[in-house]
Amino acid sequence: MYSLGIDIGGTSIKACLYRMGEPGGGLEAVAEPLRQATPSDGSYRSMLDLLHRIIDHHRELIPSEQRNSGMQIGLGTPGLVDSRGYLRGDAVNIPGWTGVQLKDELSEYAGVEVQVANDVNMAAYAEWRLGAGTGSDSMVFISLGTGIGSGIITRGGPVAGHTGMAGEIGHLVVEPGGRQCKCGLKGCLERYSSASGIALTAQELAETGGPELDGPLRSLIQGNRIQRSRILGNPIPEQRAVSDVAPPSVAPATVDFRDVPPGASSTAQPRTQRPAGPDNPADAQGVYEALEQGDPLARAVHASSSRRLAQAAAAVAHMLNPRLIVLGGGVLAAGDVIVQGVKEHLHEFVMPMALDDLEIRRTVLGPDAGMLGAAAMAADFAGEGYSLSSS
Ligand SMILES: [Zn+2]
């Protein structure tokens, strides 16, 4: 039996076909994951056509003698997905998807009931079934990337909420009257502890902080070209003005900080290729590279982000009392320091009696979690009873 996991992202769609082994056999990838660019016209029709082609392509990968036994399909998508698999409200990255009945349309095409859920909920499902949360009866997965989202697992299953909004932790207000968020509120967690929020805090503190924050990162942000050349490893001759220096003739980076798997070296992406800008997620990488060197500004930015994350984690702990909170998403490329930072501030916000049994861990599945979770949810729906360990 086979299960196809599809993960729709803002710029690309990833899909992978897994073989569901005998009980105890796990989920085994049949081929390398497929990655396709999201249709440039952004229309629902184009997206649906692409999804049909992805389904057809993967069905062909199944040996013909086994094709009749079917292929389960799971799909994670941005936006709010209610418990029936319907998209509600605008999916942030895919305009025009309001109210589409993606589940019904795909199920009719594929001839099986397709499991559809929010992409972060799918990643949460993967961590619960096959990753950091294996064996726990209640778990919350928080994804820290360009934005912030979470997926809730309680009593052995995911929680979508009445309208699919359960887990929208990125829009928990942690700073009343603070930074404007695209959702309409001010002071949302996402504006402080996502990759772009971290970069923005660095920018703000570089401009307004006291002399105790002076260091290489501040110099870099303030455009000190000598310090900048040292940090970027791309010396600029002293006698030339910055404006005289031609932009580096390197190809654009293909590795995105938001997509770096946990444990990957932060130097995997050549630093000279990282675009600058206060709202660019790549700049969070710069903050955490500077933190490794003990930079005072980076320490202040990290503390600020961690404290607000701890505030949000405390809300989760008090409301849901989960056994485990798993942190994932591109920001975790910075390493265990993110988990450590949250732990250091938790005691400020969580009742002491609730702290003892609360564990915070880092993702073990990385950027493929959404795809894997979609396949796992579809496999579970079919009741195939594969093992709880990944293969
Ligand atoms: Zn918001």
Side-chain angles (χ1 to χ4, degrees):
M1 188 60 119
Y2 293 82
S3 188
L4 173 64
I6 306 173
D7 185 22
I8 298 179
T11 56
S12 69
I13 299 175
K14 291 189 289 185
C16 189
L17 182 66
Y18 298 90
R19 187 182 295 115
M20 294 139 64
E22 299 302 315
L27 279 180
E28 179 194 351
V30 171
E32 284 291 303
L34 179 80
R35 187 189 283 258
Q36 295 274 303
T38 305
S40 54
D41 69 358
S43 75
Y44 177 57
R45 190 66 249 170
S46 302
M47 181 66 87
L48 210 51
D49 287 344
L50 177 57
L51 290 171
H52 290 171
R53 289 200 299 276
I54 287 173
I55 290 170
D56 292 344
H57 167 79
H58 286 92
R59 217 192 289 276
E60 291 294 314
L61 296 180
I62 300 175
S64 54
E65 67 274 15
Q66 294 177 38
R67 216 167 284 164
N68 284 342
S69 62
M71 176 176 77
Q72 302 304 318
I73 302 172
L75 179 140
T77 171
L80 306 179
V81 184
D82 70 16
S83 55
R84 296 169 303 160
Y86 295 155
L87 270 66
R88 299 177 63 103
D90 271 322
V92 176
N93 295 313
I94 310 167
W97 275 44
T98 306
V100 298
Q101 300 195 347
L102 185 61
K103 180 186 171 92
D104 288 352
E105 293 184 59
L106 278 184
S107 298
E108 188 178 333
Y109 181 81
V112 293
E113 184 174 338
V114 176
Q115 302 304 304
V116 179
N118 170 270
D119 50 359
V120 179
N121 284 335
M122 284 302 193
Y125 197 83
E127 293 288 353
W128 172 58
R129 291 290 272 130
L130 305 156
T134 303
S136 102
D137 65 345
S138 57
M139 187 202 99
V140 175
F141 172 77
I142 302 178
S143 172
L144 309 170
T146 317
I148 295 181
S150 78
I152 302 165
I153 306 281
T154 61
R155 291 191 172 182
V159 175
H162 177 54
T163 62
M165 285 192 63
E168 285 293 327
I169 197 173
H171 302 286
L172 191 73
V173 173
V174 292
E175 195 68 50
R179 294 174 187 164
Q180 182 67 51
C181 181
K182 64 180 185 293
C183 75
L185 292 172
K186 285 183 174 176
C188 294
L189 175 67
E190 185 168 297
R191 297 295 288 134
Y192 296 90
S193 301
S194 65
S196 57
I198 289 167
L200 196 53
T201 302
Q203 185 83 21
E204 278 184 10
L205 286 180
E207 286 166 12
T208 62
E212 72 280 4
L213 300 184
D214 284 350
L217 180 61
R218 187 175 218 171
S219 301
L220 171 67
I221 291 172
Q222 291 178 335
N224 181 314
R225 65 191 176 90
I226 297 170
Q227 291 290 351
R228 179 188 170 89
S229 70
R230 281 189 198 139
I231 288 175
L232 295 179
N234 183 22
I236 299 170
E238 286 289 329
Q239 66 273 22
R240 297 172 68 190
V242 172
S243 57
D244 293 337
V245 180
S249 58
V250 291
T254 52
V255 179
D256 188 326
F257 183 56
R258 291 164 290 189
D259 252 2
V260 177
S265 164
S266 59
T267 55
Q269 180 184 1
R271 296 174 188 192
T272 48
Q273 296 182 18
R274 197 173 68 235
D279 220 23
N280 191 311
D283 275 9
Q285 185 180 356
V287 169
Y288 280 97
E289 284 171 6
L291 184 68
E292 280 179 27
Q293 310 302 318
D295 184 278
L297 174 60
R299 276 206 299 265
V301 174
H302 173 58
S304 162
S305 167
S306 300
R307 195 163 187 275
R308 285 164 170 131
L309 267 178
Q311 205 176 328
V316 166
H318 286 167
M319 289 297 292
L320 297 170
N321 184 217
R323 170 76 186 84
L324 178 67
I325 294 178
V326 177
L327 301 182
V331 172
L332 269 288
D336 290 330
V337 67
I338 304 294
V339 171
Q340 207 49 45
V342 175
K343 284 181 175 174
E344 280 168 18
H345 290 277
L346 265 185
H347 67 93
E348 297 170 44
F349 305 105
V350 180
M351 291 184 299
M353 71 175 80
L355 259 183
D356 293 343
D357 288 329
L358 176 64
E359 196 177 338
I360 302 198
R361 285 187 209 157
R362 175 183 173 185
T363 171
V364 298
L365 297 174
D368 286 344
M371 195 168 62
L372 189 58
M377 188 182 282
D380 279 342
F381 175 76
E384 283 301 306
Y386 60 92
S387 93
L388 284 174
S389 61
S390 58
S391 58

